[in-house]
Amino acid sequence: MRTSQQGSPTGVNAAGHGLGSALGGSAGRRLPVPPRERKPALAALAVLLILGGALVSAYLVVQSGKRVTAISVAKPVAAGEQIPLDALESVTVSNTGVEFLNWSERANVVKAYAAVPLVPGTLLNNNMITSEAQVAKGRLIVGLALKPNQYPAEGLSIGDTLALYSMGGSDKSPRPLLLSADAEVRQVVAPSATSRASSSGELLVSISVKPEEAQAIALASSAGAVTVAVVPPGTTVPTRPGGQNGQNGQTGQGDRTKTGGG
């Protein structure tokens, strides 16, 4: 009996020792770690994306540095007319060497005059303006009241060059007579909707002409016998009907006037 009682604690100690050895052994072992997968293609793609973004950013910075604000013509202005502020607008353009006036110079531009007819959408430059109304000197301003059959269907615009013809049908002058080959439109006014002229489609036009032409044009206009033709740039206008002289019917250099800015 004594022997069996002494063996029992020994067995417990043995069991306890065995349990502790098992725990110690499991704690000393590490769980297996899966090997890291290397993806060189993804790494290369990330590097390329970073470099591409940097290049795009640099390009945009360089391009933005080359863009400037210039003056563009918003409304037509006749040659010799002082340039109004509402005829100008700001546009952003690339500084590629094209001649233009910066928007910051608009205060000086409105003090100047148009040296040539200014067309909407054109970038303004120094060659198109002058400090004095030299173009208007030596010219007279004449008013015309034109009916729909006396001007082109598309109408007239400021700066247009016109050829003016008298359509009087007298016996001494049965054919149209050229009154002016280089009249320039300075103002175009459509009558108000409530006026009688509006219902008839009449157009009121101010033109600049040479002094020696003004009287005949004024007389023909008062009689309603003026017909106008728009002269495109570089077009030659015959000074006589049909471009013929009165002797041999041949066209001569003296019978033509090159107008329209050519």
Side-chain angles (χ1 to χ4, degrees):
M1 292 296 293
R2 188 176 297 176
T3 302
S4 60
Q5 291 176 356
Q6 292 177 353
S8 178
T10 304
V12 172
N13 291 338
H17 178 74
L19 181 60
S21 299
L23 291 174
S26 62
R29 297 176 183 176
R30 294 182 179 178
L31 295 175
V33 179
R36 294 181 179 179
E37 296 182 5
R38 295 183 178 179
K39 298 181 179 179
L42 291 178
L45 178 60
V47 172
L48 290 176
L49 289 175
I50 293 173
L51 291 177
L55 291 175
V56 170
S57 299
Y59 174 79
L60 292 177
V61 170
V62 172
Q63 289 300 111
S64 62
K66 291 184 178 180
R67 299 187 69 81
V68 293
T69 304
I71 298 177
S72 177
V73 180
K75 296 181 180 180
V77 181
E81 183 180 354
Q82 188 169 6
I83 303 173
L85 182 60
D86 61 356
L88 307 177
E89 64 180 356
S90 63
V91 293
T92 303
V93 297
S94 298
N95 190 6
T96 56
V98 178
E99 188 176 358
F100 63 88
L101 288 174
N102 198 287
W103 179 247
S104 60
E105 301 179 67
R106 62 188 181 279
N108 294 326
V109 171
V110 297
K111 299 177 183 178
Y113 299 85
V116 295
L118 303 183
V119 181
T122 306
L123 288 180
L124 201 64
N125 60 59
N126 283 318
N127 296 327
M128 301 166 66
I129 62 176
T130 179
S131 59
E132 297 182 4
Q134 297 291 345
V135 180
K137 291 183 177 180
R139 309 275 290 191
L140 297 181
I141 308 299
V142 178
L144 302 177
L146 302 175
K147 296 179 180 179
N149 62 339
Q150 294 177 301
Y151 61 89
E154 58 270 21
L156 303 175
S157 301
I158 295 176
D160 282 348
T161 299
L162 305 179
L164 274 61
Y165 299 93
S166 173
M167 304 305 293
S170 64
D171 296 336
K172 295 182 179 180
S173 180
R175 293 187 293 181
L177 174 66
L178 180 66
L179 300 175
S180 177
D182 61 351
E184 185 177 295
V185 178
R186 297 181 60 85
Q187 189 75 21
V188 180
V189 178
S192 62
T194 58
S195 65
R196 180 186 301 178
S198 175
S199 60
S200 63
E202 190 175 75
L203 199 64
L204 305 179
V205 184
S206 294
I207 58 174
S208 64
V209 297
K210 299 174 183 177
E212 60 270 21
E213 300 171 339
Q215 182 177 1
I217 293 173
L219 290 174
S221 177
S222 64
V226 175
T227 297
V228 304
V230 177
V231 183
T235 301
T236 301
V237 179
T239 58
R240 297 185 183 183
Q244 298 178 344
N245 59 31
Q247 297 179 353
N248 53 19
Q250 299 296 322
T251 300
Q253 294 295 329
D255 295 322
R256 291 177 176 266
T257 301
K258 192 172 185 179
T259 61

